[in-house]
Amino acid sequence: MKFRLRYLHHDVELGEGQFAVGRSATCQLSLDDPLVSRRHAIFHVTDMHVSLEDLGSRNGVIVNGTRVEGTVEISVGDRVLIGSQELTLLATREGGPSTRSPATKNTVSRMTPSSGVQMPKYDDPEPSMVRRVDQFKVLGSVAEKALALGRAGEAERLLASVLADVIEACRSGRPLPVSLVDQAAKFSARLATSTGKGGWADYVIELYAAQNRPPPAAVIDELYNAMNKVTAVDVTRLRDYVVQIQERSSTLGPADRFLLQRLEGLERRARSLRG
């Protein structure tokens, strides 16, 4: 038996051996998604079996709605969620027609939304974060329309690249404009609500933990909405963030202390839903 992965209406053949998925260009399938680690997971393929290994990714690997640990065997028809991208394992019959994507490389680095709006391409390996503020104004207005029409997937694809740049800059300790952080968080929280993917809520928490400050009230409000719909939220990360802000509560002004109280309520809400 031969196997293939279906992703975004393309089928990618899996030869025997290892097939890596992540954001790195060295992976066989490169996903431009801020919720995907550089080397996120590996498919181990034999002539009769496929197993999937989580490479210690930040946001984990979800198979048929359940987060997996370590290496698990998967079956034809199983749905694998890596970041916000869904892959489906399929079988290819011997001698059957090839359905491999015509692309010469399995790299999905920039996507074109169905609305016809082109994703911007960034040639500079260290793009200015100030430019991202202006780009968000353009992309955000289109994403807002897509979300209003219930096209969450379209909004997600539209914003994926710029959101990935923001979180990468955050992880590397580069300074970020406050307005850019708040814009990225606002849309990530809305994507969490619209798609039901907990990784987008985790994105918001990671972003503000790096900033060492509470989110604006509007972002917290959206996170409350998201908690009723998302799966696999990282409650430990949320708790660590709340403790981090609590430890500096004596330096907070009245407005930020109120935001901290709302974060504490959000964390209790997340734990109660998980339990």
Side-chain angles (χ1 to χ4, degrees):
M1 179 185 294
K2 291 185 178 181
F3 299 95
R4 54 196 166 98
L5 284 177
R6 176 158 295 171
Y7 173 64
L8 293 179
H9 308 296
H10 295 294
D11 288 355
V12 181
E13 293 177 6
L14 296 177
E16 290 188 35
Q18 295 185 343
F19 184 92
V21 180
R23 284 200 336 277
S24 172
T26 63
C27 293
Q28 280 88 347
L29 180 59
S30 178
L31 302 176
D32 187 10
D33 185 325
L35 304 180
V36 175
S37 300
R38 289 190 177 279
R39 284 181 60 82
H40 198 109
I42 286 183
F43 290 86
H44 300 276
V45 185
T46 70
D47 59 343
M48 294 299 294
H49 301 281
V50 177
S51 59
L52 177 60
E53 179 184 3
D54 180 3
L55 298 177
S57 61
R58 286 176 179 265
N59 295 305
V61 175
I62 297 174
V63 178
N64 297 330
T66 302
R67 185 164 179 164
V68 302
E69 302 289 342
T71 303
V72 296
E73 186 167 335
I74 60 175
S75 304
V76 171
D78 282 349
R79 294 174 294 104
V80 178
L81 190 66
I82 294 179
S84 63
Q85 313 301 316
E86 184 174 277
L87 314 172
T88 303
L89 182 67
L90 302 174
T92 301
R93 292 184 178 180
E94 294 285 349
S98 173
T99 54
R100 186 184 182 111
S101 167
T104 57
K105 291 181 67 178
N106 301 323
T107 301
V108 186
S109 58
R110 299 283 182 247
M111 291 174 278
T112 304
S114 58
S115 63
V117 178
Q118 293 272 335
M119 287 294 294
K121 298 182 179 180
Y122 311 120
D123 298 325
D124 183 357
E126 290 289 331
S128 168
M129 288 296 106
V130 176
R131 284 184 54 210
R132 294 293 184 268
V133 177
D134 293 332
Q135 288 163 348
F136 247 124
K137 291 177 181 178
V138 176
L139 293 175
S141 63
V142 180
E144 288 276 11
K145 293 177 182 177
L147 289 169
L149 293 171
R151 298 173 181 170
E154 182 177 324
E156 189 176 44
R157 290 191 295 273
L158 183 66
L159 295 168
S161 181
V162 67
L163 288 174
D165 285 340
V166 171
I167 202 67
E168 279 302 303
C170 171
R171 290 168 181 168
S172 63
R174 292 161 57 195
L176 292 169
V178 171
S179 61
L180 179 60
V181 171
D182 291 344
Q183 283 178 323
K186 178 187 74 172
F187 280 108
S188 296
R190 291 195 62 188
L191 287 173
T193 302
S194 300
T195 66
K197 297 173 182 176
W200 286 117
D202 296 339
Y203 178 106
V204 177
I205 300 308
E206 181 179 355
L207 198 57
Y208 283 106
Q211 301 293 307
N212 198 24
R213 65 181 175 94
V219 174
I220 296 179
D221 288 344
E222 192 61 52
L223 287 176
Y224 269 92
N225 292 335
M227 286 302 164
N228 297 319
K229 299 183 179 181
V230 300
T231 58
V233 174
D234 191 337
V235 178
T236 300
R237 176 181 291 178
L238 175 56
R239 177 58 185 163
D240 289 345
Y241 168 55
V242 171
V243 170
Q244 174 186 333
I245 302 302
Q246 286 173 334
E247 289 175 347
R248 59 178 295 259
S249 59
S250 61
T251 68
L252 300 177
D256 281 347
R257 283 198 295 270
F258 175 71
L259 293 175
L260 173 57
Q261 291 175 357
R262 299 214 60 213
L263 281 175
E264 291 167 341
L266 180 70
E267 189 252 334
R268 289 192 296 270
R269 174 73 173 159
R271 281 192 286 110
S272 68
L273 291 172
R274 183 180 182 183

